[in-house]
Amino acid sequence: MANTILVGAQWGDEGKGKVIDVLTEQADVVVRYAGGNNAGHTVLVGRIKYVLHLVPSGILRRGKLCVIGNGVVVDPVSLVEEIQTLRRLGVRVGENLVVSETAHVVFPYHRELDAQREVLKGKHRIGTTKRGIGPAYGDKAARVGLRVIDLVNPERLEEKLRLRIRENNEVLRALGAKPLSFRRVFDDYRRAGEFLKPFVGNTVILLHEMMQRGKDILFEGAQGTFLDIDHGTYPYVTSSNTTAGGACTGSGVPPHRMDRVVGVMKAYTTRVGEGPLPTEHAEIADMLHAMGREFGATTGRPRRCGWFDAVATHQAAMVNGLDEVAVTNLDGLDTMETIKVCIAYRRGRERFDYVPNDAQVLAECEPVYAEFEGWRTPTSGARRWKDLPAKARAYLRAIAELTGARLSLVSVGPGREQTIFV
Ligand code: GDP
Ligand code: IMO
Ligand code: MG
């Protein structure tokens, strides 16, 4: 399969988990390279629904090596829980999972600060997952973070954590929040460190050994292009580089070893949390929510929904260098009479064919739509391209063309078998 980066081309929850699971069949190694347990990747295997937060979705296939790369921020208590849940569901998690020793660790003060900052921001809040992601990456950049290598060394953990708790308790007190007990946090984290120790290793060396042996690596992106700290709708973003470049820095595999980039996008658009979403539309949101779809995999929040935004996905193709696109949730549009696609933004007399960098300007943009006739036929039973209604094929061809990448996969349901290779 060659080394493949898979990224979200919209605002997250594009169905990356499902597509990763399908593509893992042809890979040897699956690597998560950014984000933390803010991610929720859903994979349906038979009747069992797995929601993965930190563990790469590749874990669900036997014989695949899964790596949590250096670019990820790891909440160890949550990771232990995730491993135990997977084991309870009969998934083997052992030497097939390796966690980078240089990944940064998320602590309870990160979560607490995340929550407090959101309260302080009031109506300007980001709508974070409150998993402590922003403060953890903040500490990494400020060079005061603890890494997994510190977590699994109790003496070092004790010394560093004591200092961090002292400083953060000052901040929490000033914000009117309850300070943390060093002893309690230390005990929980020492225990988690002990559990995780056998999983911890030098993943950069490991990945290069794998490549030397001719193994194919699949890089599992989390979040989406417009949640990227540099390329997203700042400040309504997450705190990592979710785009393709992040796969290199977040794993230690250099750019010239990457063979292809696949962007996953829904046949429409969703976003969870605050921030501009130009094509947001109540009609499509109500329809999807009434079907029981589009509720967050991590927080359960209803996702905001809108029409397909080709201005955004075209920019995603640029920033990530998308070779291919995988379109998911085509079946979500099965009942629509008319389907709209945003081909430009308008703000007063200004017209944009790219995403303006000022989130406030973007919020004031009105979409310019092209219209497509709906196919009004169920697609979830389609298994081959030619099984799809002609109008659905025309729609898919059009959105791939507007995005500027080759359509390689279509998903018509959450199941593995509900996948069409184009
Ligand atoms: P991720 O974060 O990108 O992995 O996406 P999520 O798992 O958070 O959200 C995608 C949701 O869509 C999940 O509930 C998937 O099971 C579901 N899903 C993925 N592809 C399809 C599809 O083609 N059709 C339907 N009906 N559901 C899908
Ligand atoms: P997956 O990998 C959708 C959003 C949050 C919020 C913003 C910042 O499942 O696609 P954070 O907790 O990261 O500081 O929140 O980013 N967000 C996601 N939205 N899917 C995700 O992950 C997300 N991870 C973060 O809702 O708007
Ligand atoms: Mg998700």
Side-chain angles (χ1 to χ4, degrees):
M1 182 179 77
N3 294 341
T4 301
I5 304 175
L6 182 135
V7 293
Q10 296 161 323
W11 277 271
D13 300 329
E14 295 90 348
K16 298 178 294 293
K18 140 116 203 210
V19 179
I20 287 278
D21 175 64
V22 169
L23 296 185
T24 297
E25 206 174 3
Q26 306 145 35
D28 304 297
V29 185
V30 184
V31 186
R32 262 288 299 273
Y33 60 82
N37 61 345
N38 50 349
H41 297 175
T42 316
V43 184
L44 193 69
V45 184
R47 291 220 182 127
I48 308 182
K49 180 173 139 180
Y50 301 88
V51 181
L52 296 137
H53 299 286
L54 276 164
V55 176
S57 305
I59 202 80
L60 303 177
R61 294 206 187 246
R62 282 183 172 275
K64 310 295 175 177
L65 176 66
C66 291
V67 172
I68 297 180
N70 56 276
V72 175
V73 287
V74 177
D75 181 328
V77 175
S78 157
L79 178 57
V80 170
E81 266 169 35
E82 191 172 333
I83 293 171
Q84 283 169 337
T85 303
L86 284 168
R87 283 178 174 168
R88 267 198 302 276
L89 291 168
V91 178
R92 198 179 78 82
V93 189
E95 317 83 81
N96 54 341
L97 177 69
V98 184
V99 183
S100 167
E101 55 195 11
T102 60
H104 277 248
V105 177
V106 181
F107 286 95
Y109 46 84
H110 293 131
R111 281 199 304 274
E112 196 56 46
L113 284 172
D114 191 356
Q116 291 296 331
R117 282 179 191 161
E118 285 283 276
V119 173
L120 274 178
K121 281 199 178 108
K123 69 177 172 93
H124 297 296
R125 71 186 180 280
I126 298 166
T128 72
T129 60
K130 299 203 177 74
R131 297 295 189 272
I133 304 302
Y137 277 112
D139 275 1
K140 175 179 178 176
R143 295 155 297 173
V144 293
L146 273 75
R147 302 185 298 175
V148 168
I149 206 167
D150 304 312
L151 176 76
V152 297
N153 175 336
E155 286 86 54
R156 204 171 325 148
L157 174 68
E158 182 165 12
E159 189 192 331
K160 292 193 172 188
L161 183 63
R162 201 183 285 282
L163 280 173
R164 296 306 302 139
I165 295 252
R166 194 183 297 158
E167 181 188 317
N168 282 288
N169 275 350
E170 292 295 325
V171 180
L172 289 175
R173 268 196 215 95
L175 292 170
K178 244 177 64 191
L180 296 160
S181 145
F182 163 76
R183 195 37 62 186
R184 192 167 305 158
V185 177
F186 175 66
D187 284 347
D188 289 349
Y189 276 63
R190 189 181 39 101
R191 224 173 299 128
E194 213 173 296
F195 180 98
L196 292 175
K197 198 166 182 168
F199 296 97
V200 174
N202 184 327
T203 53
V204 175
I205 300 299
L206 175 67
L207 290 173
H208 281 264
E209 270 168 16
M210 287 291 159
M211 287 191 289
Q212 214 145 30
R213 287 165 49 194
K215 304 288 184 193
D216 290 331
I217 307 177
L218 179 56
F219 294 84
E220 176 172 352
Q223 288 79 51
T225 299
F226 297 98
L227 292 173
D228 183 286
I229 181 83
D230 285 281
H231 302 291
T233 50
Y234 193 91
Y236 302 101
V237 294
T238 190
S239 298
S240 61
N241 284 116
T242 60
T243 45
C248 296
T249 51
S251 70
V253 175
H256 74 280
R257 300 302 304 268
M258 301 298 184
D259 300 300
R260 71 167 176 164
V261 186
V262 180
V264 183
M265 54 196 207
K266 277 180 176 144
Y268 47 92
T269 308
T270 65
R271 169 167 209 169
V272 59
E274 305 302 317
L277 186 64
T279 62
E280 188 165 17
H281 202 283
E283 184 195 353
I284 181 164
D286 293 347
M287 188 250 321
L288 292 163
H289 290 151
M291 290 160 77
R293 293 166 68 148
E294 302 308 344
F295 292 90
T298 295
T299 57
R301 293 178 287 179
R303 295 176 184 144
R304 300 158 61 195
C305 305
W307 298 111
F308 187 83
D309 184 341
V311 179
T313 58
H314 181 260
Q315 187 153 316
M318 243 166 61
V319 170
N320 294 295
L322 298 186
D323 299 298
E324 297 169 26
V325 283
V327 177
T328 69
N329 287 273
L330 180 73
D331 54 308
L333 297 177
D334 284 352
T335 59
M336 302 307 273
E337 213 163 311
T338 305
I339 300 170
K340 294 184 185 180
V341 170
C342 172
I343 51 166
Y345 303 141
R346 192 175 287 138
R347 177 175 172 263
R349 300 172 82 173
E350 257 175 311
R351 192 184 154 109
F352 296 95
D353 54 7
Y354 59 90
V355 183
N357 283 322
D358 187 331
Q360 204 175 319
V361 171
L362 183 59
E364 289 163 12
C365 282
E366 291 288 337
V368 177
Y369 286 121
E371 289 194 357
F372 291 79
E373 229 178 289
W375 44 93
R376 309 190 75 192
T377 316
T379 55
S380 56
R383 296 293 174 269
R384 290 160 306 177
W385 177 249
K386 61 174 199 239
D387 297 340
L388 289 172
K391 284 174 186 162
R393 288 187 306 224
Y395 177 72
L396 288 165
R397 275 198 212 99
I399 61 174
E401 195 168 311
L402 287 164
T403 299
R406 189 173 76 78
L407 178 67
S408 63
L409 185 153
V410 179
S411 169
V412 292
R416 273 179 181 169
E417 67 295 346
Q418 292 174 300
T419 307
I420 297 167
F421 293 95
V422 184

